[in-house]
Amino acid sequence: MTRVPAALPGQTVRWHVFPDDASLVANALARVMAAARDAVAQHGAFDIVLAGGNTPRKLYRALRNADADWTRWHVWFGDERCAPPDDPARNSRMAREEWIDHVAIPAGNVHAIPAERGAREAAVLYARELRSVDAFDLVLLGLGEDGHTASLFPGHDWGVHRDSPDAIAVFDAPKPPPERVSLSAQRLSNARRVMFLVEGAGKRDAVAAWKRGGAIPAASITPESGVDVLLDAAASRTAQPG
Ligand code: 6PG
């Protein structure tokens, strides 16, 4: 049963447009490191949720050379594709290749979604693991061309209600592979900071719908502090009139 809310709770969005990839990644890196410093100072650890897809690759690669006390970092995933852990489609494999395997984050601090066990079982297991963390310090998210984020897709349950589960089993996702696990909108919203990374002309329509107040999955992420959307010129350009 898909429970799509009649009206999404208000979302505060701060838009940050960058002329090119390098300046966007530099700003995103600075934001991640600032969030980490604040979190470690406040509670001795940094709980970060990673976005999947391709856009975050360069940010993860830049994190390889960051100066950080990696023992304080805990890495979570906003969603995962149901495939073997070493499958190239896995978001966790991309993050490991680009960053995690190059720094000294303790193995026990990398909380991959066990999506290889199938969406239903993995969602239950990950929801159980998520009990060990309250509010995330930073959630990274991407934006799909249809307005999806994590693996919350139009026409599916986004888990926006207070009593929605923390992790959702997703079947027949329109973006392959069809079977996935996603943190719910309510769980992704339980965060001190949320940052979207959006690049490319292909995201233009989704950004425009978002700016118009469209009920897209990305608009269902409503942390108290609002969300920061870092986008490049191509994604932010509105269609030329005429
Ligand atoms: C996934 C991602 C997904 C992604 C967007 C954007 O598992 O596919 O979590 O939500 O962030 O689809 O993907 P790109 O960054 O590749 O455009």
Side-chain angles (χ1 to χ4, degrees):
M1 186 267 285
T2 302
R3 296 194 299 171
V4 179
L8 292 172
Q11 181 190 52
T12 301
V13 185
R14 292 175 292 274
W15 302 95
H16 311 273
V17 182
F18 296 89
D20 53 40
D21 196 36
S23 56
L24 187 151
V25 170
N27 187 271
L29 178 64
R31 288 171 183 269
V32 171
M33 299 314 292
R37 273 191 298 274
D38 289 352
V40 170
Q42 284 161 17
H43 63 95
F46 177 47
D47 287 292
I48 181 174
V49 177
L50 300 189
N54 290 309
T55 302
R57 275 182 186 277
K58 289 181 183 162
L59 169 60
Y60 298 163
R61 203 171 307 150
L63 278 166
R64 273 189 210 179
N65 306 311
D67 176 19
D69 175 358
W70 298 116
T71 64
R72 305 298 189 119
W73 290 48
H74 279 261
V75 178
W76 303 86
F77 292 84
D79 72 329
E80 188 55 275
R81 295 93 175 268
C82 290
D86 60 354
D87 189 298
R90 285 278 298 234
N91 290 326
S92 55
R93 175 171 164 174
M94 183 273 279
R96 285 186 181 284
E97 285 179 343
E98 296 296 349
W99 164 41
I100 296 171
D101 288 350
H102 301 270
V103 297
I105 295 177
N109 288 15
V110 182
H111 308 275
I113 298 173
E116 62 279 6
R117 301 177 67 155
R120 216 172 292 287
E121 182 181 354
V124 170
L125 290 172
Y126 208 59
R128 200 174 296 158
E129 192 168 0
L130 285 166
R131 289 181 198 149
S132 69
V133 56
D134 187 8
F136 294 121
D137 293 304
L138 174 61
V139 170
L140 301 179
L141 287 167
L143 178 70
E145 299 189 359
D146 59 359
H148 79 257
T149 194
S151 285
L152 305 175
F153 292 95
H156 290 64
D157 182 11
W158 306 343
V160 297
H161 303 284
R162 206 185 306 277
D163 64 348
S164 297
D166 281 357
I168 294 175
V170 179
F171 302 96
D172 64 21
K175 177 178 180 183
E179 191 172 342
R180 295 158 166 260
V181 178
S182 184
L183 268 61
S184 58
Q186 65 82 14
R187 192 57 178 90
L188 290 165
S189 302
N190 183 5
R192 295 180 182 85
R193 304 184 198 196
V194 173
M195 176 164 72
F196 284 82
L197 302 176
V198 182
E199 290 192 292
K203 310 298 174 72
R204 199 177 289 168
D205 289 348
V207 168
W210 197 352
K211 286 184 173 177
R212 284 196 305 272
I216 61 171
S220 70
I221 310 302
T222 54
E224 283 178 22
S225 58
V227 303
D228 289 290
V229 182
L230 279 59
L231 63 169
D232 68 357
S236 67
R237 197 172 300 123
T238 50
Q240 299 307 328

